[in-house]
Amino acid sequence: MKYNDLGTTGLKVSELGLGCAGYWGFPVFSEEKALSLVHQAAEKGVTFFDTGSSYSGGHSEPRLGRALKSIGDREKLVISTKIGTVMNRRFLTKDFSPDALLKQLEQSRRNLDMDCLPVVMLHLPSLNDLNNQTYDFMEEVKSRGWVRCFGASCDGEVLDKVLNADRFDCVMMDYNLLNQAPIRQVHEAREKGIGVLLKSPLAHTLYSNRVFRIRSLADFWYFLRVLKNYRPYFYKGLKYRFVNNQDNLTGHEIALLFALKSMASSAVVGTTRIESLEANLRALGRELPQDLYERLLD
């Protein structure tokens, strides 16, 4: 496992992070299995864990907090959560007002049992949400010692504004085999000393020959989520089916190694299976041949 600087924050994060969200966070998924995944990831060297206050209907963040209680050396871990998306009954809404952000932040500190949260992200803000009122809130809670680093989870023109705002310590962004255009923003962030965290580095495995193989309720949940949010990638994934037929590397290994070639601080992958976690960890010790890397480029 390699440990990379998170920009100029002074924090180091494992090159593979564990996403604690989605099906992992819902009560229907075994609490014992969910906590075990976190514990085994930490034992195997993962130090970056990402969640959000609204994830899994609000269940992911407190579940991660319970998992962290039985980890001995928590000081080496870097925990990231997100604010700005709120649960309104059963619906998700956006609220970046200072009062709403403060309420979420206080709840996150309680859920994770942390006085100072290492990383807090604004979750999918709009261009209008990035304003002086929001920036003043960020500076205020940092000055109180409640947050060490602020970031934003966003893409496109919103990410461009974040990178030019001179207010953010890190960003979480989409970059993977099927979405390579944001490499420009990865490079720009790194040049400015802003830490880069990759979401969806495995491109939702839509390059896989097994994308329609549903073996469990978790598979069915993720399949419906991809249909809803990432349908265009289904077609682009066909172009990369050849990654499943390479010697010495699996398709998933190729996708993860490709994402890490961007020199991001960490690639965050969520899973409900320990065997998937172990496979991702094994991939870190492999090399992506240069000729194959060049073939993968758009």
Side-chain angles (χ1 to χ4, degrees):
M1 180 75 73
K2 288 172 54 181
Y3 299 91
N4 300 317
D5 292 327
L6 184 62
T8 56
T9 64
L11 295 173
K12 282 190 174 291
V13 294
S14 52
E15 63 178 335
L16 179 70
L18 183 66
C20 300
Y23 195 79
W24 175 91
F26 284 110
V28 69
F29 183 60
S30 161
E31 174 92 353
E32 180 181 358
K33 290 181 179 179
L35 270 56
S36 178
L37 270 167
V38 172
H39 297 158
Q40 293 190 56
E43 289 172 3
K44 297 176 186 297
V46 174
T47 62
F48 185 73
F49 294 85
D50 178 69
T51 190
S53 60
S54 64
Y55 284 174
S56 312
H59 296 290
S60 286
E61 193 179 69
R63 175 169 272 186
L64 177 58
R66 292 192 294 274
L68 296 175
K69 286 183 182 299
S70 54
I71 294 178
D73 187 9
R74 286 177 52 175
E75 294 300 317
K76 66 182 180 181
L77 304 183
V78 178
I79 310 301
S80 170
T81 193
K82 303 179 189 70
I83 57 176
T85 302
V86 298
M87 292 293 300
N88 185 3
R89 296 181 181 177
R90 294 189 176 183
F91 300 97
L92 294 175
T93 61
K94 293 294 182 184
D95 193 342
F96 287 88
S97 66
D99 287 345
L101 293 177
L102 181 60
K103 184 177 179 180
Q104 280 192 287
L105 184 63
E106 290 174 335
Q107 184 64 53
S108 294
R109 293 170 71 220
R110 288 192 294 270
N111 286 341
L112 296 167
D113 191 24
M114 290 183 166
D115 293 328
C116 180
L117 297 168
V119 179
V120 173
M121 299 270 181
L122 301 183
H123 186 229
L124 304 179
S126 69
L127 289 171
N128 290 335
D129 293 323
L130 300 174
N131 54 49
N132 288 333
Q133 182 176 256
T134 302
Y135 299 150
D136 289 345
F137 166 82
M138 291 162 52
E139 290 303 315
E140 171 64 20
V141 294
K142 285 178 78 172
S143 70
R144 294 186 190 181
W146 292 355
V147 176
R148 177 164 177 175
C149 306
F150 256 108
S153 177
C154 57
D155 297 288
E157 61 180 354
V158 178
L159 178 56
D160 284 331
K161 185 171 181 178
V162 165
L163 294 177
N164 289 313
D166 195 27
R167 299 280 187 157
F168 294 89
D169 304 299
C170 56
V171 293
M172 177 168 274
M173 57 178 292
D174 197 52
Y175 173 77
N176 55 52
L177 196 60
L178 305 185
N179 186 22
Q180 299 183 26
I183 191 64
R184 170 189 65 82
Q185 292 163 310
V186 175
H187 292 162
E188 182 179 346
R190 285 178 49 80
E191 289 169 2
K192 293 181 175 182
I194 297 172
V196 177
L197 304 161
L198 298 183
K199 56 184 177 179
S200 307
L202 295 182
H204 312 286
T205 68
L206 292 178
Y207 49 79
S208 173
N209 292 328
R210 301 180 178 183
V211 67
F212 294 106
R213 183 177 295 182
I214 297 174
R215 299 175 294 171
S216 67
L217 186 60
D219 290 342
F220 184 63
W221 185 91
Y222 281 112
F223 180 73
L224 292 180
R225 181 172 179 267
V226 166
L227 273 181
K228 177 178 179 288
N229 298 323
Y230 305 103
R231 190 169 300 187
Y233 285 176
F234 268 115
Y235 306 105
K236 193 166 186 180
L238 295 173
K239 173 184 174 181
Y240 291 95
R241 289 290 171 88
F242 69 88
V243 301
N244 302 290
N245 304 309
Q246 300 300 306
D247 293 333
N248 303 318
L249 288 171
T250 68
H252 294 344
E253 288 174 334
I254 291 170
L256 182 56
L257 292 172
F258 178 87
L260 289 171
K261 275 276 194 178
S262 68
M263 301 300 291
S265 301
S266 184
V268 180
V269 182
T271 184
T272 57
R273 296 191 177 101
I274 186 60
E275 56 267 29
S276 296
L277 171 64
E278 291 173 341
N280 293 333
L281 289 165
R282 285 195 300 272
L284 302 179
R286 312 298 300 276
E287 291 289 337
L288 185 63
Q290 184 63 25
D291 59 338
L292 178 55
Y293 174 68
E294 292 174 359
R295 186 180 175 190
L296 296 170
L297 293 172
D298 279 344

